Amino acid sequence: MIDFPYLEDLCIRTDSKIIMLVVDGLGGLPHPDTGKSELETARTPNLDALAGRSVCGLTTPVLPGITPGSGPGHMALFGYDPVKFLVGRGVLEALGIGLELGPNTVAARGNFCTVDDEGKLTDRRAGRIKTVESAPLVELLDTIDIPGVSVEVHPVQDYRFVLVLRGDGLGANIPDTDPQVVGGPPRTAVAAELTSERTARFANAFIDAARGLLGSRDRANMVLLRGFSTEPEWPEFGRSYNLNPAAIAAYPMYRGLARLAGMKIITTGADFDAELKTLADSYSDHDYFFLHYKPADGAGEDGDFDAKVARLEELDARIPAVIDMNSDVLVVAGDHSTPAIMEAHSWHPVPLMINSRLSRGQGSDAFDERACRLGALGAIPATNLMLLALAHAGKLAKFGA
Amino acid sequence: MIDFPYLEDLCIRTDSKIIMLVVDGLGGLPHPDTGKSELETARTPNLDALAGRSVCGLTTPVLPGITPGSGPGHMALFGYDPVKFLVGRGVLEALGIGLELGPNTVAARGNFCTVDDEGKLTDRRAGRIKTVESAPLVELLDTIDIPGVSVEVHPVQDYRFVLVLRGDGLGANIPDTDPQVVGGPPRTAVAAELTSERTARFANAFIDAARGLLGSRDRANMVLLRGFSTEPEWPEFGRSYNLNPAAIAAYPMYRGLARLAGMKIITTGADFDAELKTLADSYSDHDYFFLHYKPADGAGEDGDFDAKVARLEELDARIPAVIDMNSDVLVVAGDHSTPAIMEAHSWHPVPLMINSRLSRGQGSDAFDERACRLGALGAIPATNLMLLALAHAGKLAKFGA
């Protein structure tokens, strides 16, 4: 949680409401032809007008130059130091496909890979086989039975799957079996501490069984396991900030991250319009809403500049519906930048605005990277955003006499 | 002290002089009708001209969103981490009325309160009785005699007083007797550690005696005690920075805070003109002056935008007298913002300028929130200000070979 020991003393329960709209992959970089970023290119009259009566700035998710995954990006916005509160890859993949984990459960991310006749790795991703090829293989692996533990294998996408082990006395302190280079054999699962030894034995039994089931194939004839992890027990967002928080997110992974923070997850539909309806329906029940908008990130990762512009314009058209909720504080933030020209997440600071009755007269002309850089909030660590949101909502008492 | 382990090695004693003018509650927010803050509204030709030949920026007192009291706000400017060096409320109230505490002394802030026939709290502030009603009650409480300890009760204002216990073997680790809610009885003083047990017994003896003296009254018939604390022993400002520092402040609390930092307190008069005369008279005796300007903060807390503007203009008229001292470095800073529209301290970053022969050509057009945001210093933690002041004074050696 935010590194401020007096936080719980200062957080006041009030009737005011906070909506935190997180636009996944919000920030971008200028298109080489126009010199304008996705946000600068998009026609976003509603976001721009809101920026005029908001206070704007930039958030740095982790550190300058550090590109966050979805986990660190979101946990930082929630005020959790993303270095300290790091989600294991196995758990994150499981959350991403909507699995419930809970206690006594270890998850690992699996890759189908290809080995030669001597068992040496020739391709760590089995030629990036597509889901159509991997799906039946996942079903095959899901039949594996290991005495003493419950084994589940779930499909993710393409060459990726999730292995879930459920049972007593499991630990997750096991380095990856993926050696990261080809030419040698996959590693054996070796426990790094005593409490993970049973789990390592189960993992090796699973790997042996998988080799037996897949071994006759030309490719995707072996598996690699990475990111053994358990669902962490972290401080509760609601208790830390004295809030009654809810998460509204169409995509499972973001619901999963919110659940790690102990937020109430409200069932919603498959897109942002469904989320907006859920927000309106549940508005009286909570004082903080994490509202997630996904499509901009995907377009950025695809390297499709125009599509990202379009996704931002589609968001803009829905901003009036968010404003109409009349929350005391409306935050528009992003978990990280996803510049289309990079086709990936990036480290670049992310535009931010906070709208409240206290933000008038401090506004910016537009909501984009350049305008926010000159905004009155300045550049702040993303982990400090919650303090500002609470302050603007009148939910933070004075520190010290 | 500043989290930089080589600080004492780098600080050089020189003849150069630093004046740090702290304008209490300096920062503000735009007036809704004009869109201009108090500083932007005030006609401050002298401050603006000084900004033109100074380097400007903004300070964050504690963290974004955290509103500091006077203690944290000032200690941060002096370079003390305000989270680590936190003054207890009892001590701060005592400093605020000019008491000398010293060792073997515990101070607590007291409230007159009202209880019903069953001893249950009905009003934690006794109807906010005025000083005219509370003053004789304070005199009455000051007659209380407890064997084994010296008891003093001092008036503060309205329903507030300070209890000072002096004697051997006292500790201050005692939670408040104020339960923060009405409907139940006040709490008994209970020591949270062994070394505070005697003090808790004395406190309960005081409370019993107070109940006996006040019990026949309709209101203000009981007392609550909060913020038991002792004067902390902190690193000396002068030793840490290799300075011979002095504080000039018309208001007792700010002299008290400077005393906690080990500064020499120079006797001065009741207002800023008196402070300026004191500065001139003592100028040859010290190499660092903390000079405090109070009136802007009070106007902000009163919610009187025009009065705050007027107090800033009155300060501006006196800036030439400060400049005439020809100090090598002149800092104009604030301990926190006090926007009139909020009628309270706030978390907003505070304008800052540093004038020295090294600041020319980096200046801003004006001295206000907007201009300082774009200033060459950028936004810095308030705890880093002393490093910059020392550097501009040529008092900081190179770090590392």
Side-chain angles (χ1 to χ4, degrees), chain B residues 202-277:
Chain B
F202 293 142
N204 287 322
F206 172 79
I207 292 168
D208 288 341
R211 188 192 286 114
L213 290 170
L214 305 171
S216 59
R217 296 172 47 86
D218 283 343
R219 66 173 183 181
N221 53 13
M222 181 54 177
V223 296
L224 298 172
L225 299 176
R226 300 167 62 181
F228 287 89
S229 41
T230 54
E231 192 166 290
E233 284 184 45
W234 288 345
E236 278 188 33
F237 183 94
R239 179 181 298 263
S240 298
Y241 298 126
N242 207 350
L243 290 171
N244 175 18
I248 304 175
Y251 278 62
M253 183 187 294
Y254 308 96
R255 293 197 296 268
L257 288 167
R259 204 177 60 218
L260 292 183
M263 293 185 199
K264 156 97 176 172
I265 312 299
I266 310 184
T267 305
T268 189
D271 61 18
F272 193 64
D273 286 327
E275 290 185 19
L276 289 176
K277 184 168 182 315

Side-chain angles (χ1 to χ4, degrees), chain B residues 47-61:
Chain B
L47 286 165
D48 293 344
L50 186 63
R53 36 184 215 279
S54 298
V55 61
C56 295
L58 292 172
T59 55
T60 297

